[in-house]
Amino acid sequence: MDFKDEYKQKLRTPEEAVKLINDGDWVDYTSALGFPKLLDTALAARKDELHDVNIRGNLIVGPVKVAECDSTHEHFTYNTWHCSAYERKLCDRGEAFFIPMVFRNNSAYYKHFLKLNVAMMSVPPMDKHGFFNMSVTTGVAAEILREADIVILEVNEHLPWIYGGFDETIHITDVDVIVEGEHAPFPPVPKGTPTDVDIAIAKNIFPYFRNGDTVQLGIGNMPDLLGDLLADSDIRDLGMHTELCSDAYMNLALRGKLTNKYKNLMPGKGVTGMVIGSPELYEWIDHNPMIAACPLSYVNDPRIIGEIDNMISINSCISIDLYGQVNAESAGMRQISGTGGQLDFLEGSSFARGGKSFICLSSTFHDKDGNVHSNILPRFCGEIITTPRSEVYYVATEYGVFNMEGMSTWQRAEGLINIADPIFREDLIRDAEKQKIWRRSNKR
């Protein structure tokens, strides 16, 4: 069948499309590069006409016009599931609000609990069969579009088409409105310069990798460093099962290290939910039969992760206390990022035969006045707990790696103090003694 006529019938300008939004509606922008920039601009222009419109999104680099144009929230209120650096600043200014969540449950929230009137999402151009691809936002998009009363798609000519396992496309017959327009190419994700501490942590984790391991890496200095170490090593035939595909995987594949050959779940395919990285990454992943994008309800399901032999998960955190509780998302009560999939992969990797899960952090940080503080704390006092102590496996700092599985409170305190910065160890021992979680002090 030729779907071009139906496409033309549903084609509107962004300004026409957003007229479908009414007072009190809930609108969704999906996630990351799925952000519908043209539609957002057109909706913001209707500010004086609309009241109490709520918008959800996450990991959007901005600008989000509906958030920036109305700090009173009389007209628009923007809510995010997981803060990007840009969305963090919106929250800091009171122009956005955070929604606590774990990514494996994102689809279930929409299916069972949430009101959703209009979903608006950017997609690659339609194929000859009438399908639009969910692209880099496959992990969260399908259920959002299914549950929306109205679906509006914004065609972005720069988005890659990513093959999938399931729920990676939507047909034009299930779309209400289509908009087109010019988009700037996606900018590269800024890369930080690895510190000596980053390098030391990566080197401490590296010996735990073996041929044929399947790895989950996030985005940032640590996964890039580990990717470089693995690419330069003799390790081979790695697999990919990850919430987020970054440049580290592309580099491993181009060096012949990522083959997915020995995965016992979807062998030959690198599985991901979302993709964030450089323009080169988007080009590499476009129509790449090596990659399968799937919903995060599958990718992040601990039962699925637990079926993957030799699954290694790498995640970062901000701080940890002597009980093993992990804060990976806040500075005090200030929201920095979100829970994301950390809890999912910690639990799933511990189920897997030969699986290992690492939480990585620098042992210290410097405040704005240059004073040094420990990131290993006696106990949390106001920070948000991302991962409960019962789910934490390996913890890695620049001073070593400690496995907390099955450890009692005094064993946890001793093991964490051993990988703290030496200048804070005596103070931490005294705190552990006061908290009655110190058995002996032969590690002084």
Side-chain angles (χ1 to χ4, degrees):
M1 295 178 64
D2 188 348
F3 297 99
K4 293 178 181 177
D5 286 341
E6 185 169 0
Y7 185 101
K8 291 177 182 178
Q9 292 170 11
K10 294 181 175 181
L11 190 60
R12 301 287 187 275
T13 66
E15 292 73 21
E16 291 170 330
V18 298
K19 289 181 180 178
L20 294 170
I21 295 169
N22 300 305
D23 290 348
D25 276 355
W26 279 87
V27 178
D28 209 283
Y29 282 178
T30 68
S31 178
L33 300 186
F35 170 55
K37 184 176 182 179
L38 303 179
L39 288 163
D40 171 65
T41 300
L43 182 57
R46 290 194 62 203
K47 184 186 81 167
D48 294 336
E49 307 169 26
L50 293 169
H51 293 81
D52 197 28
V53 174
N54 269 276
I55 301 95
R56 298 186 192 98
N58 70 88
L59 291 172
I60 294 170
V61 299
V64 178
K65 298 289 184 66
V66 292
E68 295 188 1
C69 77
D70 182 22
S71 59
T72 68
H73 311 298
E74 178 183 351
H75 307 279
F76 301 119
T77 302
Y78 181 71
N79 310 271
T80 177
W81 294 104
H82 193 105
C83 287
S84 64
Y86 167 76
E87 289 166 320
R88 181 189 314 149
K89 292 175 183 177
L90 289 180
C91 289
D92 288 343
R93 299 196 300 262
E95 294 174 358
F97 297 90
F98 179 73
I99 317 169
M101 59 92 83
V102 289
F103 260 132
R104 73 172 179 255
N105 293 330
N106 190 254
S107 293
Y109 298 142
Y110 285 91
K111 185 174 182 179
H112 300 298
F113 305 112
L114 299 179
K115 175 184 176 183
L116 180 53
N117 302 103
V118 181
M120 306 198 300
M121 174 185 174
S122 285
V123 293
M126 184 181 75
D127 73 2
K128 64 181 181 181
H129 305 290
F131 286 96
F132 296 92
N133 184 247
M134 307 287 190
S135 189
V136 297
T137 315
T138 296
V140 299
E143 196 64 48
I144 293 173
L145 300 188
R146 263 197 295 269
E147 295 302 321
D149 299 329
I150 297 170
V151 173
I152 304 174
L153 298 185
E154 178 176 314
V155 176
N156 187 320
E157 63 276 23
H158 301 293
L159 280 168
W161 185 289
I162 306 177
Y163 294 126
F166 61 98
D167 268 353
E168 79 276 18
T169 58
I170 182 171
H171 198 261
I172 191 170
T173 53
D174 295 317
V175 177
D176 297 290
V177 175
I178 301 161
V179 302
E180 295 178 341
E182 290 188 13
H183 298 80
F186 298 120
V189 175
K191 284 192 174 184
T193 301
T195 65
D196 291 341
V197 170
D198 294 329
I199 294 169
I201 296 171
K203 287 182 176 179
N204 285 340
I205 296 172
F206 179 74
Y208 291 86
F209 286 88
R210 297 291 182 268
N211 293 339
D213 284 343
T214 295
V215 296
Q216 176 252 331
L217 302 171
I219 192 168
N221 289 345
M222 189 55 56
D224 288 342
L225 276 169
L226 281 168
D228 289 342
L229 286 173
L230 291 167
D232 292 334
S233 73
D234 293 330
I235 292 174
R236 60 186 184 275
D237 291 322
L238 294 171
M240 175 179 114
H241 185 98
T242 184
E243 168 184 78
L244 175 65
C245 177
S246 66
D247 283 60
Y249 290 104
M250 175 185 68
N251 295 333
L252 284 169
L254 294 177
R255 294 286 294 274
K257 302 295 183 177
L258 182 69
T259 66
N260 300 295
K261 186 176 180 180
Y262 293 109
K263 287 179 64 186
N264 55 316
L265 191 67
M266 295 184 71
K269 299 288 184 183
V271 174
T272 187
M274 302 173 71
V275 183
I276 298 178
S278 67
E280 291 79 15
L281 174 64
Y282 304 136
E283 183 178 351
W284 173 74
I285 211 165
D286 182 57
H287 288 93
N288 187 339
M290 181 184 190
I291 305 300
C294 300
L296 294 179
S297 56
Y298 172 84
V299 177
N300 286 34
D301 186 337
R303 295 167 297 183
I304 297 298
I305 299 166
E307 293 179 17
I308 304 170
D309 292 348
N310 304 313
M311 178 76 209
I312 295 188
S313 169
I314 309 294
N315 287 283
S316 298
C317 76
I318 297 169
S319 53
I320 187 169
D321 72 8
L322 291 180
Y323 298 94
Q325 300 179 109
V326 169
N327 163 36
E329 60 186 280
S330 77
M333 297 306 294
R334 180 187 178 226
Q335 195 69 40
I336 300 296
S337 55
T339 301
Q342 179 174 123
L343 195 58
D344 304 334
F345 277 89
L346 275 167
E347 187 174 345
S349 297
S350 66
F351 290 161
R353 184 172 63 177
K356 303 177 186 71
S357 186
F358 295 85
I359 292 289
C360 309
L361 74 159
S362 168
S363 67
T364 61
F365 76 96
H366 290 81
D367 64 24
K368 61 182 180 180
D369 297 320
N371 301 311
V372 64
H373 303 269
S374 179
N375 284 325
I376 297 177
L377 308 174
R379 62 194 176 279
F380 282 126
C381 300
E383 289 83 358
I384 294 167
I385 305 301
T386 304
T387 302
R389 60 185 180 174
S390 55
E391 297 282 5
V392 181
Y393 201 167
Y394 289 95
V395 179
T397 74
E398 68 271 34
Y399 292 102
V401 178
F402 173 56
N403 181 4
M404 295 208 306
E405 286 273 284
M407 297 294 173
S408 67
T409 52
W410 71 265
Q411 290 173 306
R412 288 164 181 252
E414 185 175 283
L416 289 169
I417 289 170
N418 285 341
I419 60 172
D421 190 297
I423 66 173
F424 292 106
R425 290 180 188 175
E426 290 293 334
D427 289 339
L428 288 168
I429 287 172
R430 283 190 286 270
D431 285 316
E433 288 173 333
K434 290 176 185 176
Q435 292 165 208
K436 301 188 183 342
I437 54 172
W438 188 253
R439 178 171 174 262
R440 62 176 182 266
S441 56
N442 61 339
K443 299 292 183 180
R444 288 179 184 270

